[in-house]
Amino acid sequence: MQNQQIAVLSAPTEQDYARQASLVFDLLDVSVGTRYDYQARIVLFLNFVQQEGLHRNCFLAFKRCLAERTDISVSTKNKYLVTARIFLKELNRQGVLPADITQNIKSFSQSRKHKKDGLTDVEVMSLADYLQTLTSTATNTRLKALIALLALQGLRQIEVVRLNVSDLHLARKTALIQGKGRDDKEPVSLHPVTVRALREYLAANQIADGALFVSNSNNSLRQRLTTRSLQQIVKDCFAELGIEKSVHGLRHYYATKLIRAYQGDLLQVARYTRHSSISTLQIYFDDVQSEADLPRYYQTFEDIKL
């Protein structure tokens, strides 16, 4: 079948496509953070359309273009593909496109196993030792509080930045967390170390109301911290210590640590990690079992020298 151009805009320019994408995502019932991610990721598809044109097979062509790239992971390719799919489906729903050109085109298949490693006990201890050497400045106490919530509570990044001061009940060692994909909040127990870090942070930064974590930069001073800013803060700290892991590696560490402590009782662990599906925790459990079994595997072939 020959590619047929779809008339969306008259002589569309890159700015026209970008404007259309902005309008589409502004009408989606998603969080501000998700909308920001869509708008950032759609640029790759818009650049592709600008060069190749918007035709009935352009979504499939975009997928094939992504498939040939070796500089990004399958997970990242799927994020770009999902964003383009949502954009095109919305154009069809709004009557801008005459057909849904994403039908019958699958996402990239990927393993359920974790692609990113969690931090090790050694790395977390190194991180803790480093944090103890820092003076109690506004910036340093914020870093300590962020690490405490990520490593000792296993909070997702979006859950951390959503926190308000009013969500904290430090005397009772609890906090109200708005989880992933949730509209309501649920109480979680706070570790004493987390409580102490939060108290020091609030005192040093003189924060008594509103967003718990705010920006210190001149461009967005006192505005709620974004997940991207949180990632940069933690990554800078990791770089200082030579830790080459993602921020999500702290949640991975948290879940793995609990699985070992509770000897594989995933239902009990899920109370703390708040995973909606035990199957996700099963992946962590499989990783723990595989790691524990490695010495026996190595010993099986210890007599073979090459």
Side-chain angles (χ1 to χ4, degrees), residues 78-119:
N78 270 333
K79 290 177 181 178
Y80 284 123
L81 201 62
V82 165
T83 302
R85 187 190 302 275
I86 291 172
F87 175 60
L88 292 170
K89 280 183 173 295
E90 279 299 298
L91 287 184
N92 172 236
R93 188 182 68 83
Q94 295 175 21
V96 179
L97 286 181
D100 179 5
I101 62 176
T102 70
Q103 285 187 349
N104 302 321
I105 299 176
K106 302 177 181 178
S107 298
F108 293 100
S109 299
Q110 59 186 117
S111 170
R112 292 176 66 250
K113 295 291 184 181
H114 288 287
K115 294 296 188 297
K116 296 182 179 180
D117 294 330
L119 272 71

Side-chain angles (χ1 to χ4, degrees), residues 143-171:
L143 174 62
K144 291 180 182 180
L146 289 172
I147 296 297
L149 290 168
L150 293 166
L152 299 179
Q153 306 301 146
L155 295 192
R156 301 174 178 90
Q157 296 161 48
I158 187 63
E159 294 171 340
V160 173
V161 299
R162 282 175 175 171
L163 279 169
N164 295 319
V165 176
S166 59
D167 294 325
L168 302 180
H169 302 280
L170 299 183

Side-chain angles (χ1 to χ4, degrees), residues 136-138 140-142 144-146 148-149 165 168-174 190-208 212-213:
S136 296
T137 64
N140 290 342
T141 56
R142 182 181 66 175
K144 291 180 182 180
L146 289 172
L149 290 168
V165 176
L168 302 180
H169 302 280
L170 299 183
R172 286 181 280 172
K173 297 183 176 62
T174 61
L190 298 177
H191 192 281
V193 173
T194 304
V195 173
R196 184 167 63 250
L198 288 171
R199 288 189 187 280
E200 292 175 356
Y201 163 71
L202 291 171
N205 288 268
Q206 298 182 337
I207 296 177
L212 178 59
F213 293 105

Side-chain angles (χ1 to χ4, degrees), residues 2 13 65 78 92 122 144 148 205 207 214 239 283 288 300 303:
Q2 291 183 343
T13 65
C65 179
N78 270 333
N92 172 236
V122 172
K144 291 180 182 180
N205 288 268
I207 296 177
V214 295
I283 299 174
V288 170
T300 302
D303 294 334

Side-chain angles (χ1 to χ4, degrees), residues 234-299:
V234 177
K235 284 181 179 180
D236 287 345
C237 178
F238 282 3
E240 186 75 18
L241 300 171
I243 298 175
E244 298 180 354
K245 302 286 177 66
S246 69
V247 178
H248 182 73
L250 288 169
R251 179 166 167 80
H252 192 142
Y253 160 82
Y254 176 78
T256 302
K257 193 80 169 174
L258 285 174
I259 288 173
R260 292 195 180 107
Y262 285 90
Q263 300 180 343
D265 186 347
L266 300 186
L267 287 175
Q268 185 67 20
V269 171
R271 290 182 56 197
Y272 293 100
T273 63
R274 292 167 298 104
H275 279 97
S276 59
S277 172
I278 295 296
S279 62
T280 303
L281 277 178
Q282 185 65 46
I283 299 174
Y284 289 103
F285 181 63
D286 291 344
D287 289 344
V288 170
Q289 283 193 315
S290 296
E291 183 180 340
D293 191 60
L294 279 177
R296 181 170 60 176
Y297 166 63
Y298 294 156
Q299 187 177 12

Side-chain angles (χ1 to χ4, degrees), residues 64-81:
R64 290 173 175 172
C65 179
L66 288 174
E68 294 176 357
R69 294 187 58 169
T70 59
D71 59 324
I72 54 178
S73 67
V74 173
S75 175
T76 300
K77 291 177 183 179
N78 270 333
K79 290 177 181 178
Y80 284 123
L81 201 62

